[in-house]
Amino acid sequence: MSPSHHTSPHPASSVPRHDWTREQVRALFALPFPELMFRAGLVHRENFDPAEVQISTLLSIKTGGCPEDCAYCPQAARYDTGVTAEKLMGLDAVLAEARAAKAAGASRFCMGAAWRSPKDRDLDNVCAMVEGVKALGLETCATLGMLTSDQAARLKQSGLDYYNHNLDTSPEFYGAIITTRTYEDRLDTLEHVRAAGIHVCCGGIVGMGETLDDRAGMIATLASLPVHPESVPINMLVQVEGTPLAGAPKLDPLDLVRTIAVARICMPASVVRLSAGREDMSEETQALCFLAGANSIFYGPKLLTTPNPERDRDMRLLDNLGMRPME
Ligand code: SF4
C-alpha cells in the first residue's frame, strides 16, 4: 500500500499553478508537520531527484556603502556594522574566484554588488565579468539592485543566465523592512529581467519579526508571478550587530522548514535554495530543509559579508545524507 493511500485524494501536483491565494497558502502552513512534509516530499520527487543538490557560489564583487536601508543588511552605509565600503572588484580577481569555485564543484557563480541600481559604467564592467565567467563553463548569476529594461537586455546579451532580486517578505510587511524603495519597484525589475529572457532568482527572508501571514503572503506573491522564479532562495535572517534587526526574536527553525515545504509545494518545478543562515543551523535542521524540498545551497566560506559553513563541513553533511551535487 502506498503511503498516499492514507491521504485522500492525491494531494500533490507538479503542474505549476499561478493562482495561489493567500488563503490556500495559509492552509498549507496550517497542516500538521508530518502531512506538510509528506506533500512537499511528493512534489519534490515528481520534479527532481531528491538526492541532488544544486551548488552555487556567491562572490561579493562590490561590498558595502549601499545607500538603501534594508533593515537586515550589514552593507547599508547608514548602519554601523564594521563592513567597510569597497570599490568594484577587478575582472581578473573575479575570474580567479570563479575558477576556484568551479574547481570546488560549483555549477553556478553569483556576483553580488551593493548598489541601489547599477550605473551604466558599472554595468559595462559587470557585463565583462559575466562574459568571462560564462567562458569558464559556469552558469552566471548577478544581483545588482534595480534594473531598467535596457540594463536587463545588456546583461542578457553578455550571457547572464540568472538575476537575483528578492521580494524579501509580504507586500504588507515590506515597508517595515525597507523604506528606500517599494514592493512595486521590486516587481518592476523582476518584470524587466523576465522580459529580457533571463532566469529569475527570487525569494525572501524569514525571521525578521514577520507573522506567519507575511510568510504566506510572500509565497503567494512568488507563486502567482506569471512565471515562477526558476530559483527561490529562502533565507533565515542572520542578525548582524548594528542593523535594526539585531536582537529580533529568533525564529523557530521548524518555521523555516515549513516555509521551504510550502515554497516547494507552490512552486513545484523551481529550485528552492536553503540560503543565508545555514551557519547557525544544526545538521538536523538542514536535513529537514532537504526533506522539505530544498535542493540548492550556497557553498563557500563567505556569503556576501556573513560567514557560511566551510566547504568540508558541507561535503560531509551531503555525504552523511547520501546526497550529491547536481550535475
Ligand atoms: S540588501 Fe542590497 S540593497 Fe539592501 S542595503 Fe543591502 S546591499 Fe543595499
Side-chain angles (χ1 to χ4, degrees):
M1 190 188 295
S2 82
S4 59
H5 196 81
H6 298 287
T7 54
S8 62
H10 195 283
S13 167
S14 53
V15 181
R17 279 176 48 193
H18 302 269
D19 57 351
W20 285 95
T21 65
R22 188 175 300 204
E23 211 45 62
Q24 291 168 332
V25 176
R26 216 187 281 125
L28 291 174
F29 272 101
L31 285 172
F33 189 76
E35 180 62 27
L36 173 62
M37 294 293 277
F38 175 67
R39 292 195 194 186
L42 279 182
V43 174
H44 193 182
R45 274 155 191 75
E46 284 170 4
N47 293 277
F48 295 97
D49 178 342
E52 291 192 342
V53 186
Q54 190 273 329
I55 293 179
S56 295
T57 292
L58 176 58
L59 174 69
S60 180
I61 57 171
K62 195 270 165 210
T63 303
C66 183
E68 302 286 87
D69 72 347
C70 310
Y72 50 82
C73 184
Q75 303 203 64
R78 66 192 74 202
Y79 309 137
D80 187 9
T81 61
V83 172
T84 32
E86 288 166 18
K87 285 197 305 213
L88 181 63
M89 281 176 74
L91 178 61
D92 291 345
V94 171
L95 293 182
E97 295 279 350
R99 269 185 221 105
K102 190 176 181 202
S107 59
R108 190 178 307 162
F109 192 69
C110 310
M111 293 165 273
W115 289 320
R116 173 176 165 82
S117 54
K119 294 188 193 73
D120 285 338
R121 185 167 42 90
D122 294 326
L123 201 70
D124 291 340
N125 291 321
V126 175
C127 285
M129 293 172 189
V130 170
E131 274 166 30
V133 172
K134 184 101 181 151
L136 297 174
L138 284 158
E139 286 186 311
T140 54
C141 176
T143 181
L144 316 169
M146 294 184 276
L147 295 182
T148 63
S149 45
D150 284 354
Q151 290 177 322
R154 286 188 53 206
L155 285 165
K156 170 70 185 174
Q157 239 173 18
S158 68
L160 189 69
D161 297 302
Y162 285 80
Y163 194 78
N164 163 267
H165 202 62
N166 291 330
L167 286 177
D168 289 341
T169 188
S170 68
E172 297 78 24
F173 193 57
Y174 197 77
I177 300 297
I178 298 144
T179 67
T180 48
R181 53 172 193 262
T182 66
Y183 213 69
E184 210 38 56
D185 289 332
R186 293 312 262 186
L187 293 168
D188 287 349
T189 290
L190 289 172
E191 228 179 274
H192 297 153
V193 169
R194 186 57 82 191
I198 301 170
H199 294 318
V200 170
C201 171
C202 180
I205 308 175
V206 297
M208 299 194 293
E210 77 286 347
T211 61
L212 192 153
D213 197 50
D214 290 316
R215 294 196 276 280
M218 173 177 87
I219 305 273
T221 309
L222 291 167
S224 45
L225 289 171
V227 180
H228 292 167
E230 281 78 7
S231 172
V232 180
I234 304 289
N235 298 279
M236 175 93 139
L237 175 70
V238 179
Q239 297 193 4
V240 179
E241 214 44 63
T243 61
L245 289 179
K250 283 256 191 309
L251 186 76
D252 181 339
L254 290 182
D255 285 326
L256 167 76
V257 177
R258 284 190 178 90
T259 308
I260 288 176
V262 173
R264 165 53 62 224
I265 293 169
C266 296
M267 292 168 278
S270 303
V271 165
V272 176
R273 179 170 310 120
L274 174 56
S275 218
R278 276 199 317 120
E279 171 79 2
D280 301 332
M281 260 172 235
S282 70
E283 301 213 329
E284 290 83 354
T285 298
Q286 295 185 56
L288 278 176
C289 291
F290 293 134
L291 277 179
N295 59 349
S296 171
I297 54 172
F298 274 124
Y299 184 62
K302 262 195 156 193
L303 194 51
L304 292 177
T305 62
T306 57
N308 202 32
E310 285 149 35
R311 294 170 194 220
D312 288 356
R313 229 175 91 198
D314 284 342
M315 272 306 153
R316 266 205 313 278
L317 173 65
L318 292 187
D319 257 7
N320 200 1
L321 298 173
M323 297 175 71
R324 55 181 184 274
M326 205 180 275
E327 284 304 317

